[in-house]
Amino acid sequence: MPFETLAPVLKSVVVNAPREKAFRIFTEFFGGWWPSTHHIGKQPFETAVLEGKVGGRWYERMTDGSECEWGRVIAWDPPSKVVMSWHLQPDWGYDPNPATASEVEVRFIAQSGNSTLVELEHRNLERHGDAGARLRGSVDGGWGQIVESYGKFANEHAGEGL
C-alpha cells in the first residue's frame, strides 16, 4: 500500500551574487559553507563534498579519512539547479536503494541587480516509509540552518574571485 504524500520541506535565501556565482559557491565550495554540526559520521567531521556531475557522490569525510555517503547527484544543470538523491533514512543510516531515497533540489533564480534567490526543496519524503514524517520533522529544522549557513558564506565571499 503506498504511503501518504508528505509536504516537501522548502527553504530559501537571497544571496548578493549573480546566479552563476551563487551556483558555483554552493557546489564548488560545498565543504566551505556546510556546517560541521550537521554530519552523521562517528569520527570528527572534516568536510562535505558534492561532486559536480550527474552520478557524482554527495558525502562527508571525517578527519580519519572515513566517509559517509548521503546520496548521488541526479540532475546537474548549471547555473539553474542541482538535484541530489537523499539516501539517509530516519535513523541516519544509508540505504542504497533508489526506491527509498527522497530528493533535494536546489534552484538558483536570478533577481534584480546581482542577487539570486536560492530555493531548496526536499521532496518525496514518503519514500522513506512509515518514518517519513519523522524524517521530515528532523530535516525541516536542519535545512533551515544549512541554508542560512550557505547564505552567510555566499554573501561573505561573493565579491572574491572564486
Side-chain angles (χ1 to χ4, degrees), residues 5-16:
T5 301
L6 296 170
V9 171
L10 302 168
K11 303 294 176 186
S12 65
V13 66
V14 174
V15 297
N16 296 318

Side-chain angles (χ1 to χ4, degrees), residues 25-160:
I25 291 171
F26 188 92
T27 58
E28 295 176 28
F29 297 91
F30 195 74
W33 61 264
W34 187 269
S36 62
T37 53
H38 289 72
H39 73 98
I40 59 170
K42 297 187 185 338
Q43 300 299 317
F45 176 85
E46 179 181 321
T47 192
V49 179
L50 176 64
E51 296 175 346
K53 61 184 180 181
V54 171
R57 294 184 313 141
W58 181 36
Y59 64 98
E60 66 185 73
R61 184 172 41 247
M62 274 48 74
T63 55
D64 68 352
S66 61
E67 297 176 350
C68 291
E69 193 160 327
W70 301 337
R72 296 283 178 168
V73 175
I74 56 176
W76 181 258
D77 186 16
S80 301
K81 70 177 179 179
V82 59
V83 184
M84 294 87 64
S85 60
W86 174 273
H87 288 266
L88 298 179
Q89 299 304 305
D91 64 358
W92 303 111
Y94 181 84
D95 182 347
N97 182 356
T100 62
S102 50
E103 297 175 356
V104 177
E105 179 173 345
V106 184
R107 296 178 290 274
F108 300 83
I109 303 157
Q111 303 292 287
S112 61
N114 277 333
S115 63
T116 302
L117 172 63
V118 181
E119 297 179 331
L120 181 143
E121 176 184 13
H122 192 157
R123 62 181 177 237
N124 301 325
L125 290 152
E126 62 277 356
R127 292 180 183 170
H128 296 282
D130 288 332
R134 183 168 46 96
L135 178 64
R136 186 192 184 286
S138 295
V139 300
D140 188 30
W143 282 128
Q145 295 168 1
I146 290 165
V147 167
E148 182 179 311
S149 179
Y150 161 74
K152 182 177 180 199
F153 184 90
N155 287 328
E156 288 173 355
H157 297 280
E160 298 175 8

